[in-house]
Amino acid sequence: MELFKGAYEGAVTATSYAEILLAKAIKEYGADCPVKYPDTAYRLPVITALSGEEVNTIGDLAPILNRVRTTNIREELTFENAKLNGEATLYAAEVIEALRYLKGAKPDQFPYTGFISDPILRKFGVPLVDQTIPGVAVIVGKGKDSKSTAKMVKDLQSKGIMIFLANEVIEQCIEENVKIGADFITFPLGNFTQVIHAVNFAFRAGLAFGGIPAGQRERAIEYQAKRVLAFVIQLGPNDIVKFAAEFGAIFMGFPIVTDQPVAEEIPDWYQSEPDYEKIAKLGLELRGIKIKIVDIPVPITIGPAFEGETIRKKDAWVEFGGGRSTSFELVRMCEAEEVEDGKIQVIGPEIDEMPEGSVFPLGFMIDVYGRKMQEDFEGVLERRVHYFTNYGEGLWHVAQRNMMWVRIGKNAKAAGFKIKDFGEILIAKFKSDYPAIIDRVQVTIITDKDVIEDKIKIAIEKYAARDARLKGLTDEAVDTWYTCTLCQSFAPNHVCIVTPEHVGLCGAVSWLDAKASNEITPTGPNQPVLKGECIDPVKGQWQTLNEFFYTGSNRTIEKVNFYTMMEDPMTSCGCFEAIMAVLPLCNGVMITTREHSGDTPCGMNFSALAGTCGGGIQTPGFMGMGRRYLCSAKFIPADGGLGRVVWLPKELKEFLGQDLVDAAVAAGLGADFVDKIADETVGITEDEIYPFLEEKGHPALTMDPIM
Ligand code: SF4
Ligand code: NI
Ligand code: NI
């Protein structure tokens, strides 16, 4: 068979090529030259996942390549052997690529991403598990023409698919103004060998979220086949090395669809589809990826790919809020007769009456009726406004409530976007995402500067009432907490318990979110747990929760303490926004975030630290967390609470701002406590920060020993 022959010959070529490059590198830099990708805890992830061999220097690579050549490269042309040849090719590509990063080289220039760091991988944890990103497409080669290729890519973007691009298809997308880059969940990796960065990204999902130990080849592959819903679209002529790499993908469980004729297709694994309108659909089908289609009658593309899109001032046709005009968004629960389902009303000027570069006020009033709607869900729904509007290509939305700041890009205006279309988007998304709690929804959009001053009063009053209610929502005030097992699709043993004062470690699921989600899908990932009998009120341990954990974690976790990170703490999956670690010398704890890539006083940066815990295991002394948890009155209370925090990255201090100061005051630490916490400008080792803590009189230094 032509395909198998190609895979064999390609594997021989690829591994030989890797050997030549490796020999050259050893000659030039010496066998001791360290080799690693930037900002990852998993060294060379393909090798880490498949064989677990520890690679520190380029000299370590030679025996690995040798081994793979002798064990994997098989001449007899069978499907099984083709996959082994494919595996060998993955090793070869990983070696070839890793050699480009020697001596701190940054080989990939804009727009190419090259290797994708761990923090970016972790950032996509939640959208992957909640299926905002329903699957992954790896598109390699050169399409027959730019137009139809770009159309295919945009179509996948509108479906929310995570996309990796390699080779000329990148230039074709750029030519057609397809928005690409990490912000658009569309990674232009680089030329052909860089496609291995899609592979090592996928393998890291198993290592980081799945908790699969290094070197467990069978489990690593099973994880890919089952949980990473990826497929490959190969465009344009193939050659033997491409064949071999494609069988590397098949080895991982990812089918190939190609626009080229294939003499002998392998059903389910290697199929041809020359029609560009159908090729992606075939890939989705082969992988069993279900797309929830929401047809929204607006002239712009809507999809999570455009959430990360920023619209600069100079690219905006019109701007709202952001301190320059009044703005607000409000979701209100109403009576049935008050809501006319699907009604959109614009009070004030439409976009045609807004000159280029102008500023207008903007108010969204979203009235919702539903038999199972509760007032508590208003806030949950209101926060969705950000995502729904931001998903629009050419629309930009930041902040919330009466801080809302919105821009409509010139491109969206040119495409024919109208103010009324905000209503179309909001109504369609609310009804499709929350069918169980929303029966009717109507949207009033206000752009009139007098009317808005009147209507905003209703919103402000609502916010105040909601905040007052939230203040009273403490762990003790409710008898039911919620579980979250959403991440189990990637971290099979992980369970989050979400309480009023402890947001999920992804930062995206609060107690109210979980409550609403349980109302929407009673059998879904958020289950109510009655706290019941308390075993340890200080460390925070309850019998029923232990029982839930035991079954929920596939019998791997027997007990959990909610109020300490030092003994049987909550598990961490992999998508945590931040991570905390004990600093024994300073008798305190430090926290670092995905956004902060620098080193920290515990001796590890975020990626390395995250690599030490996660995958749904308990790691005393370390815990993943949502950033806002730091401001909670239940922040590790058994360990001393906020007063234990001795180091934070500046970024986190700034992100939390006044809320952190308020939390310090509430904890009795005083308003100046935040200034006593060291950051990277003070130091990045315990020795460097200790004198600072002493000088500031940091409370942690006089607390009971933390360990
Ligand atoms: Fe995952 Fe926990 Fe967030 Fe749920 S709350 S999505 S389990 S991290
Ligand atoms: Ni957008
Ligand atoms: Ni997670």
Side-chain angles (χ1 to χ4, degrees):
M1 191 183 212
E2 179 205 357
L3 291 174
F4 297 165
K5 190 157 178 289
Y8 165 70
E9 289 172 355
V12 172
T13 307
T15 47
S16 308
Y17 185 50
E19 249 173 5
I20 294 169
L21 289 183
L22 179 59
K24 248 177 85 182
I26 292 178
K27 203 164 151 223
E28 193 171 343
Y29 299 112
D32 303 341
C33 176
V35 60
K36 65 191 282 282
Y37 285 128
D39 212 357
T40 177
Y42 305 100
R43 298 163 190 273
L44 309 193
V46 170
I47 300 174
T48 304
L50 290 175
S51 62
E53 286 152 307
E54 207 175 300
V55 176
N56 293 308
T57 65
I58 51 178
D60 295 335
L61 291 169
I64 297 174
L65 260 184
N66 259 331
R67 172 182 61 75
V68 171
R69 285 189 71 149
T70 43
T71 57
N72 276 59
I73 301 198
R74 311 257 179 104
E75 207 173 340
E76 194 196 336
L77 302 181
T78 66
F79 188 36
E80 282 316 307
N81 285 350
K83 287 195 268 184
L84 290 174
N85 290 329
E87 184 185 12
T89 308
L90 299 183
Y91 274 84
E94 185 87 318
V95 169
I96 293 168
E97 272 304 299
L99 292 175
R100 297 172 67 236
Y101 288 83
L102 295 182
K103 306 263 174 203
K106 293 192 174 63
D108 298 289
Q109 303 304 325
F110 182 82
Y112 309 113
T113 59
F115 182 80
I116 297 166
S117 70
D118 288 2
I120 295 181
L121 168 79
R122 290 181 188 281
K123 184 176 147 201
F124 289 108
V126 173
L128 281 165
V129 299
D130 75 7
Q131 287 179 11
T132 306
I133 299 174
V136 181
V138 183
I139 307 175
V140 192
K142 182 178 182 185
K144 62 175 181 189
D145 62 79
S146 298
K147 262 215 158 50
S148 45
T149 308
K151 184 160 181 285
M152 176 184 74
V153 173
K154 286 206 72 163
D155 183 49
L156 284 166
Q157 285 183 326
S158 73
K159 292 186 162 73
I161 299 292
M162 174 179 275
I163 301 167
F164 294 93
L165 304 169
N167 263 358
E168 294 95 329
V169 62
I170 297 173
E171 278 68 38
Q172 292 182 309
C173 284
I174 294 172
E175 208 179 301
E176 294 296 320
N177 292 317
V178 179
K179 305 212 168 96
I180 57 173
D183 284 346
F184 299 97
I185 329 178
T186 303
F187 301 93
L189 297 168
N191 70 29
F192 179 67
T193 39
Q194 269 94 295
V195 77
I196 195 67
H197 299 313
V199 171
N200 62 40
F201 187 90
F203 274 125
R204 273 178 287 156
L207 295 161
F209 301 132
I212 301 171
Q216 300 214 354
R217 178 172 175 272
E218 301 308 317
R219 281 181 65 192
I221 292 306
E222 194 196 332
Y223 186 91
Q224 294 303 316
K226 267 200 192 150
R227 300 178 190 273
V228 180
L229 296 182
F231 62 95
V232 178
I233 298 178
Q234 156 65 39
L235 301 174
N238 255 309
D239 58 38
I240 52 170
V241 176
K242 286 184 179 167
F243 279 130
E246 288 157 18
F247 277 92
I250 294 174
F251 160 73
M252 297 169 77
F254 305 161
I256 315 290
V257 289
T258 175
D259 63 346
Q260 300 297 299
V262 180
E264 290 166 85
E265 291 189 321
I266 308 173
D268 296 340
W269 289 110
Y270 204 111
Q271 290 187 217
S272 167
E273 177 52 75
D275 184 344
Y276 277 46
E277 299 276 327
K278 294 185 186 150
I279 190 164
K281 191 162 162 274
L282 176 61
L284 295 168
E285 264 169 33
L286 288 181
R287 211 58 182 92
I289 300 168
K290 299 261 182 314
I291 310 280
K292 209 169 70 176
I293 303 281
V294 192
D295 229 348
I296 307 175
V298 292
I300 55 170
T301 314
I302 311 283
F306 304 107
E307 189 200 328
E309 162 198 47
T310 39
I311 293 171
R312 290 190 189 80
K313 202 178 162 62
K314 68 172 174 45
D315 299 319
W317 181 271
V318 52
E319 181 171 12
F320 312 91
R324 301 183 59 202
S325 66
T326 305
S327 66
F328 73 91
E329 58 197 7
L330 177 69
V331 170
R332 276 191 304 182
M333 182 172 111
C334 297
E335 298 300 328
E337 61 278 5
E338 293 171 320
V339 185
E340 185 184 324
D341 191 30
K343 181 178 164 190
I344 303 168
Q345 193 190 359
V346 178
I347 304 177
E350 241 308 340
I351 196 164
D352 319 298
E353 300 155 65
M354 299 173 177
E356 184 173 340
S358 56
V359 176
F360 275 80
L362 184 67
F364 292 140
M365 296 185 83
I366 299 142
D367 295 336
V368 173
Y369 162 74
R371 272 154 303 158
K372 288 170 80 182
M373 178 67 189
Q374 300 178 19
E375 217 166 350
D376 266 356
F377 301 158
E378 288 179 344
V380 171
L381 298 177
E382 201 173 280
R383 266 191 301 125
R384 302 309 296 172
V385 174
H386 166 74
Y387 294 97
F388 295 162
T389 54
N390 222 358
Y391 282 176
E393 182 176 9
L395 305 183
W396 182 78
H397 178 291
V398 288
Q400 48 177 319
R401 291 188 168 180
N402 53 339
M403 306 294 285
M404 174 175 92
W405 186 6
V406 174
R407 282 177 182 156
I408 300 175
K410 288 177 187 163
N411 56 345
K413 161 81 166 64
F417 185 84
K418 298 274 186 285
I419 299 294
K420 156 188 124 327
D421 291 333
F422 278 120
E424 300 281 4
I425 297 171
L426 292 168
I427 290 175
K429 290 299 259 178
F430 272 123
K431 291 198 77 160
S432 70
D433 281 17
Y434 296 93
I437 53 175
I438 297 181
D439 296 325
R440 298 182 190 178
V441 53
Q442 73 186 11
V443 177
T444 309
I445 305 165
I446 302 145
T447 55
D448 181 279
K449 64 180 185 343
D450 297 322
V451 177
I452 198 159
E453 296 308 332
D454 189 37
K455 298 287 187 193
I456 197 173
K457 289 181 198 145
I458 305 174
I460 303 266
E461 210 172 289
K462 267 276 182 198
Y463 302 150
R466 227 186 263 160
D467 287 345
R469 157 112 174 100
L470 279 177
K471 268 220 165 71
L473 265 187
T474 59
D475 283 3
E476 295 78 20
V478 300
D479 54 9
T480 306
W481 289 354
Y482 286 89
T483 64
C484 187
T485 52
L486 200 55
C487 280
Q488 287 202 348
S489 54
F490 280 86
N493 298 335
H494 174 72
V495 182
C496 271
I497 295 281
V498 183
T499 81
E501 294 175 278
H502 196 156
V503 59
L505 51 82
C506 55
V509 181
S510 71
W511 185 82
L512 280 173
D513 290 312
K515 185 168 182 248
S517 135
N518 177 256
E519 203 64 54
I520 294 160
T521 326
T523 55
N526 299 110
Q527 293 299 315
V529 201
L530 221 58
K531 266 181 291 173
E533 189 197 333
C534 184
I535 296 173
D536 187 333
V538 177
K539 288 179 186 151
Q541 196 182 135
W542 282 265
Q543 183 60 34
T544 43
L545 291 170
N546 280 346
E547 282 159 19
F548 186 90
F549 253 95
Y550 190 60
T551 41
S553 68
N554 299 310
R555 298 161 199 266
T556 56
I557 310 288
E558 289 184 5
K559 54 182 177 187
V560 172
N561 290 320
F562 291 97
Y563 293 151
T564 169
M565 67 182 290
M566 299 305 294
E567 191 188 326
D568 300 315
M570 295 240 252
T571 61
S572 302
C573 48
C575 58
F576 33 78
E577 287 187 302
I579 185 164
M580 55 179 137
V582 163
L583 294 178
L585 180 68
C586 300
N587 200 34
V589 303
M590 57 147 281
I591 292 153
T592 188
T593 62
R594 240 169 16 206
E595 282 73 17
H596 181 72
S597 58
D599 284 324
T600 75
C602 76
M604 289 181 265
N605 69 359
F606 176 82
S607 296
L609 196 50
T612 64
C613 70
I617 50 169
Q618 292 175 310
T619 318
F622 300 90
M623 204 161 87
M625 60 180 262
R627 291 189 287 181
R628 296 223 156 264
Y629 176 50
L630 189 58
C631 298
S632 163
K634 292 295 189 310
F635 176 77
I636 52 169
D639 305 326
L642 187 57
R644 276 289 183 194
V645 177
V646 295
W647 191 93
L648 297 174
K650 258 185 115 61
E651 175 273 326
L652 184 57
K653 284 188 190 174
E654 278 157 21
F655 171 79
L656 295 171
Q658 187 60 35
D659 290 351
L660 187 57
V661 177
D662 293 347
V665 172
L669 296 161
D672 63 344
F673 174 69
V674 178
D675 303 324
K676 297 179 183 169
I677 305 174
D679 57 37
E680 66 271 27
T681 61
V682 175
I684 49 166
T685 64
E686 285 207 71
D687 286 329
E688 281 169 9
I689 66 170
Y690 192 87
F692 171 88
L693 301 173
E694 253 187 335
E695 182 201 314
K696 296 276 177 184
H698 193 291
L701 300 184
T702 52
M703 284 184 184
D704 288 343
I706 191 160
M707 51 193 297

